Amino acid sequence: MKEVVSNRIYQEFSEVLLKNENSTKISQEAFGIVSNWLPLGKVVLEATLIPGENNYILEKKIVSRPLFIKDREAILSDYQEKFSFGPADNNICFLCTSTAEDGHFTEEEAEHLKAFLSEMYIHVERMYLGKGLQKAYITQKVTGLPNQAGYMARVIAHVKKSSYDDYTSFYFNLRGFGLLNYEFSEKEVDAILKRYGRELKKRIDEGEEVGHLGGDNFVAFIKKNRAEYFLNQIKAIETYGVYKGKKIPVIIRATIGVFDLEARKIHHPGEIIGQPGAALNYARRKRKNVVWLTPEIMDEIFFDKQIYDGLTSAINNGDITTYYQPKVNLETGEVVGAEALVRWNYGGTMLAPDAFVPILEKSTRISELDFYILRQVCQMLEERKREGKTVVPISVNFSKRDLEIPNISSRITDIIDKYGIDKDEIIIEVTETAYSDEQERLLSFLRQMRDNDISTSIDDFGTGYSSLSVIREYPVSEIKIDKSFIDRADLTREDEAIVGSVIAMARMLRLKVITEGVDKCEQVDFLLRLGCSRAQGFLFDKPLCYDDFSKVLDRGRYEVTWAKKRK
C-alpha cells in the first residue's frame, strides 16, 4: 500500500513541476504535496556557483533560497538534513527540516525524500541554475542594473578589449533620496529608483557601464573623452513619481567621486570602485558635490587612514598626551578649573585636536580616545589628592558619536568611581546637535549624568545649532560661550545685547557661564560688565602639559595683570 501511495505522490509532484520551466516558482505547491505524506517542514535550496567562461561570476559563491515552508508560524528544529547532488565543486544541496520534534527524518523517510529531491535537482539544474540564479547573482533587484559582481565582470571584459587608460570611473550617491519615503509609498520609491536606472542607461555609450551597488549608491565606467559630459548629466537627473494617480516631477541630485584610471596605478580591479569611492567619501566629508581624486587628496585620505588605524598603538605608545587649559576667575585671577585637551605626537609633529578628532568622529572610534582622556584626567586628580595637593574641576570632552554607545553614562560613572574621584571634580562637555535622533540621545545622556550627580556643560554655545532654548530644555550645569561672540576688533552694543541676554538667562536658571577664547584685556572688561566672571584663553595660558599645569595648580592663581592693563 505504501508503494502505491508513494507512486501516486511522486506522479503528482512531477506533474506540478512540469507546469513551469522555472520549477522554483512552483516549489511551494510541489513540496506541499510531499508534506502531506512525509513530515516535511522546510526546504532550502543551496547552490554553489563557480567562475566560468560564459558567465559573470568572479569567484566561487554559495547562494541559498527557500523553496518550501509548510507553516510559517510553526517552530521547527534548527537541525537540517542535507541532500547533495552534482559534482563536489559545483553542487546543489537541499537543506530539509522535519516537522518531528528533533528535526530528523527516519531512514525510510530520507530515502523517499531523496527521490523527490532528485527530480527537483534535474529541473533546477537545467532550467534555473544556468539562468535565473546566475542572473540574480549579478543583477540588482530593484533597478535591474548590474550589481557589484556583474558590474566588475563587465568592466573587466571592457578593459581586456581596451585599457584602463581609456576610462574614468565614477562612484555617486543620491542626495536626500531617503526623503522620498515621506512623499511616496515604498513601492513607488522603488519605481522611481528603477526609472532613474533607466535614465542612467540612456546616458552611456557602447563600451561603457553603469552599476547599482544597492540603496542609493551607483557606479559608472565611462570613456575619458565623455567623462565631463557624463558628470554634468548625473549631477541632476529628472524623473517622476506617481502620487494619487498623478505624475510628480522628481529631480535626483548626486554627490560624485571621480577617478581617471591609469593602468600603471591600478594594482587590483577593485580600485575601479575603491578609488572613486574614496573621492566620494571625501566629497561628503567636505560637503562638496563633486571631487576628482588627485594625488593631494589621496595623500590626505592616506593620512586619515593612518590616524584611524594608528589610534590604539598611539595610546599604548604614549604618543597621545593630555594637555590642560586653565579656567580663571576674571576678578581674582584664581584658577577655578581646566579643560582637558589632547595632543598627538605624530612622527615628531605635535598635532592639535582639529587635525585628528574629525577623522575619528566619523565613527564611534572617537570613544576610545575620549575614554582614554577621561581615565588620564581621573588618574591625575587621584594622584594629586593622594599627595595632598590642590585639585580643580576638569572638563572632559565627549563627542556626539559617543552617545551611540550603549550604557555610556554608566561607563563614565564607573571610571570616575574607580579612581575615587568626587563627582563635582569632573565636568563632561558635549556639543548640541540639530538632528532629532541625536537630540534624544543627548537629552537622555544629560539626564543620566544629572541623576549620577555629574556636572555637564554645553560646549561652543551659540554656534551652529545651539540656541537659547537649550538652556531651558537640557539639564546641564554650565554653558560655555563660544569665542566667536567676543572675537571682534570692536565689541558693539549688539554684541553686548546678545551675550548679555545669554548670561542673564543662564544666571536666572542657576547655570554657570564660562567664555572661551579670551585673549584681550578688552574682552575681560566686556565680560565682567555683563556678569560673566569665568573664562579661559591665551590671555591667561595656552593648553599646558601636565608638568606646567601642575605648577599653575600649586600656585593657585594668576596675577590680575589684565586689570592693570585696562587702567
Side-chain angles (χ1 to χ4, degrees):
M1 183 65 178
K2 268 190 177 182
E3 193 67 31
V4 173
V5 174
S6 66
N7 288 338
R8 178 172 57 80
I9 299 294
Y10 185 84
Q11 183 178 351
E12 291 179 16
F13 180 80
S14 300
E15 288 174 354
V16 170
L17 293 183
L18 290 172
K19 287 181 181 179
N20 194 310
E21 271 192 345
N22 190 342
S23 302
T24 58
K25 287 188 175 180
I26 52 174
S27 59
Q28 182 73 22
E29 180 183 350
F31 283 113
I33 295 169
V34 178
S35 70
N36 292 328
W37 184 54
L38 294 175
L40 183 62
K42 186 177 182 180
V43 180
V44 176
L45 167 68
E46 187 177 88
T48 303
L49 305 178
I50 61 172
E53 293 183 2
N54 300 318
N55 62 38
Y56 291 115
I57 299 168
L58 302 179
E59 57 186 18
K60 188 174 180 180
K61 180 83 173 179
I62 296 177
V63 296
S64 63
R65 171 170 289 188
L67 298 181
F68 170 74
I69 300 175
K70 184 176 179 64
D71 182 0
R72 296 185 182 276
E73 302 297 326
I75 299 175
L76 298 174
S77 167
D78 292 333
Y79 176 78
Q80 294 177 314
E81 191 83 38
K82 188 173 185 178
F83 299 86
S84 299
F85 301 89
D89 63 342
N90 187 23
N91 67 357
I92 293 175
C93 298
F94 297 95
L95 306 177
C96 303
T97 303
S98 170
T99 53
E101 287 188 11
D102 59 1
H104 289 265
F105 298 96
T106 66
E107 189 173 328
E108 183 181 5
E109 289 168 347
E111 284 298 316
H112 285 300
L113 184 54
K114 190 171 184 179
F116 292 105
L117 294 173
S118 297
E119 176 78 5
M120 176 59 82
Y121 164 68
I122 294 171
H123 284 259
V124 169
E125 208 280 334
R126 183 180 73 241
M127 306 307 304
Y128 183 67
L129 184 59
K131 297 178 183 178
L133 197 56
Q134 180 175 308
K135 183 178 179 182
Y137 174 66
I138 63 170
T139 305
Q140 210 288 326
K141 183 179 178 182
V142 176
T143 58
L145 294 175
N147 61 14
Q148 181 169 334
Y151 173 77
M152 286 301 300
R154 295 185 185 193
V155 164
I156 290 170
H158 290 313
V159 171
K160 287 179 179 178
K161 297 177 183 178
S162 181
S163 167
Y164 285 118
D165 296 320
D166 298 329
Y167 287 93
T168 296
S169 186
F170 292 78
Y171 195 131
F172 47 108
N173 174 266
L174 310 187
R175 294 206 304 269
F177 189 80
L179 297 176
L180 292 178
N181 289 293
Y182 293 102
E183 301 179 49
F184 303 97
S185 67
E186 182 179 347
K187 183 178 180 180
E188 185 56 27
V189 171
D190 284 347
I192 294 170
L193 203 58
K194 185 176 292 186
R195 294 181 197 113
Y196 179 78
R198 287 201 294 263
E199 292 297 326
L200 287 177
K201 291 184 72 173
K202 292 178 184 177
R203 288 159 171 78
I204 64 172
D205 207 348
E206 186 177 352
E208 299 176 338
E209 295 294 340
V210 290
H212 182 191
L213 304 188
D216 51 10
N217 293 304
F218 292 79
V219 286
F221 188 69
I222 305 297
K223 295 171 185 174
K224 277 186 181 173
N225 61 358
R226 298 183 70 255
E228 286 286 353
Y229 162 79
F230 184 79
L231 173 61
N232 290 326
Q233 287 288 302
I234 64 173
K235 285 179 180 177
I237 290 180
E238 183 172 344
T239 180
Y240 67 89
V242 178
Y243 180 72
K244 293 184 177 180
K246 293 183 179 181
K247 288 186 178 180
I248 310 295
V250 173
I251 297 177
I252 299 177
R253 305 181 191 279
T255 302
I256 308 161
V258 194
F259 180 62
D260 279 330
L261 300 174
E262 295 181 49
R264 62 189 178 88
K265 293 183 179 180
I266 301 295
H267 306 293
H268 185 277
E271 293 178 51
I272 295 170
I273 291 178
Q275 297 286 33
L280 171 63
N281 289 334
Y282 185 89
R284 296 175 74 172
R285 192 170 80 249
K286 299 293 184 178
R287 297 183 179 179
K288 296 177 179 291
N289 294 333
V290 179
V291 166
W292 290 73
L293 193 63
T294 63
E296 292 75 21
I297 290 177
M298 291 179 72
D299 288 343
E300 187 174 337
I301 292 171
F302 177 75
F303 173 76
D304 288 3
K305 189 174 188 309
Q306 293 294 100
I307 290 294
Y308 188 85
D309 293 342
L311 175 63
T312 301
S313 59
I315 288 174
N316 294 336
N317 295 336
D319 295 329
I320 302 288
T321 308
T322 304
Y323 275 56
Y324 301 87
Q325 186 170 36
K327 298 177 181 179
V328 180
N329 184 308
L330 299 178
E331 296 174 329
T332 65
E334 181 186 0
V335 178
V336 294
E339 180 181 3
L341 301 167
V342 61
R343 298 291 184 270
W344 185 329
N345 185 349
Y346 184 80
T349 300
M350 195 65 77
L351 300 179
D354 289 348
F356 55 89
V357 166
I359 299 170
L360 299 174
E361 281 188 316
K362 295 175 191 174
S363 73
T364 53
R365 191 76 198 277
I366 185 67
S367 66
E368 184 178 352
L369 176 65
D370 291 343
F371 277 110
Y372 172 74
I373 297 302
L374 176 62
R375 287 192 293 270
Q376 290 287 297
V377 168
C378 288
Q379 184 177 342
M380 181 273 290
L381 291 172
E382 187 269 336
E383 288 177 357
R384 287 190 65 86
K385 292 176 72 174
R386 189 175 64 246
E387 295 169 359
K389 295 181 177 180
T390 303
V391 298
V392 293
I394 307 293
S395 298
V396 181
N397 291 282
F398 271 77
S399 166
K400 288 179 289 188
R401 296 303 301 266
D402 294 332
L403 305 186
E404 298 173 22
I405 301 171
N407 304 319
I408 180 175
S409 58
S410 299
R411 289 182 60 181
I412 291 174
T413 304
D414 290 345
I415 291 173
I416 295 173
D417 291 342
K418 176 184 175 182
Y419 286 92
I421 305 303
D422 293 340
K423 298 289 179 63
D424 59 1
E425 293 169 348
I426 293 288
I427 300 171
I428 302 299
E429 284 195 18
V430 292
T431 304
E432 215 265 305
T433 177
Y435 300 103
S436 58
D437 57 337
E438 291 179 349
Q439 286 177 344
E440 288 298 319
R441 283 195 294 266
L442 178 58
L443 185 57
S444 174
F445 171 74
L446 292 173
R447 285 171 176 164
Q448 291 171 29
M449 289 288 94
R450 179 192 60 193
D451 294 343
N452 290 333
D453 297 323
I454 298 173
S455 297
T456 52
S457 175
I458 292 291
D459 195 12
D460 300 331
F461 184 86
T463 64
Y465 310 123
S466 295
S467 63
L468 293 177
S469 62
V470 171
I471 302 178
R472 181 191 64 204
E473 296 172 4
Y474 286 11
V476 296
S477 317
E478 172 190 85
I479 59 170
K480 180 182 282 188
I481 298 175
D482 188 73
K483 64 179 181 180
S484 62
F485 281 90
I486 60 170
D487 191 17
R488 300 171 185 270
D490 296 306
L491 292 166
T492 65
R493 287 186 178 181
E494 288 78 8
D495 296 321
E496 187 169 324
I498 293 170
V499 178
S501 65
V502 172
I503 294 171
M505 188 177 296
R507 291 177 65 181
M508 288 178 65
L509 295 172
R510 299 180 181 178
L511 299 179
K512 295 179 180 178
V513 182
I514 185 168
T515 304
E516 60 184 347
V518 174
D519 54 16
K520 299 175 184 177
C521 295
E522 292 77 14
Q523 294 169 331
V524 173
D525 189 43
F526 175 80
L527 292 171
L528 285 174
R529 189 166 66 249
L530 297 177
C532 177
S533 60
R534 297 192 313 148
Q536 66 184 87
F538 281 13
L539 180 62
F540 319 111
D541 246 323
K542 63 182 180 180
L544 304 169
C545 66
Y546 173 66
D547 288 344
D548 291 339
F549 178 61
S550 181
K551 294 174 184 176
V552 171
L553 279 185
D554 291 342
R555 191 172 65 239
R557 67 179 59 247
Y558 290 89
E559 291 185 26
V560 191
T561 55
W562 51 87
K564 295 175 183 177
K565 289 179 181 177
R566 287 205 312 279
K567 295 176 183 178

